[in-house]
Amino acid sequence: MTETNLTDLDREALTRAIAVARRESPTRRKQIDDRLAREPWEVAARYAAFCAQITSMNLEPWESTLVYPDTPEAHALVRRLKAAGVSQYEPNPLEALAEAEHRAT
């Protein structure tokens, strides 16, 4: 499944997520590069954001990323991000949200 309604903000966040995920380890770099070679860019990029968010948010296996929000808490955080002008695909969404909220004050 590919996204057809990505905003410029989303594309920028996904591009950063690819770079962040590729820096995680040589294995992750190969995995991301392989996905970019065989999958649509949007699919591979969302996977990179998924990986980056697991790391940056220190998520447990049962916790939801914001790329694929599946809990009320994750949906609420996505709404906060959007209200602050931050993409749900940010590789480090909590840091990006804190920066956006700090700039707003």
Side-chain angles (χ1 to χ4, degrees):
M1 176 172 116
T2 58
E3 283 288 329
T4 57
N5 58 348
L6 292 175
T7 66
D8 288 343
L9 187 68
D10 291 336
R11 288 183 188 283
E12 291 170 13
L14 287 166
T15 299
R16 285 193 307 280
I18 289 170
V20 168
R22 290 180 81 236
R23 286 193 303 264
E24 283 183 19
S25 70
T27 301
R28 180 70 75 209
R29 175 190 281 282
K30 181 175 178 356
Q31 184 181 43
I32 297 300
D33 289 348
D34 288 348
R35 283 178 169 259
L36 285 166
R38 64 178 162 66
E39 298 176 349
W41 184 87
E42 293 90 345
V43 173
R46 279 184 299 177
Y47 179 75
F50 171 83
C51 293
Q53 287 181 4
I54 288 171
T55 300
S56 72
M57 296 172 71
N58 197 29
L59 296 176
E60 296 293 338
W62 58 86
E63 293 179 303
S64 178
T65 66
L66 305 182
V67 175
Y68 305 109
D70 63 357
T71 65
E73 296 82 9
H75 284 285
L77 189 50
V78 168
R79 285 191 298 275
R80 275 184 66 199
L81 287 166
K82 289 185 180 197
V86 177
S87 172
Q88 77 186 75
Y89 302 111
E90 279 294 331
N92 190 336
L94 300 178
E95 181 179 286
L97 180 61
E99 289 174 7
E101 290 176 342
H102 179 72
R103 282 191 305 271
T105 58

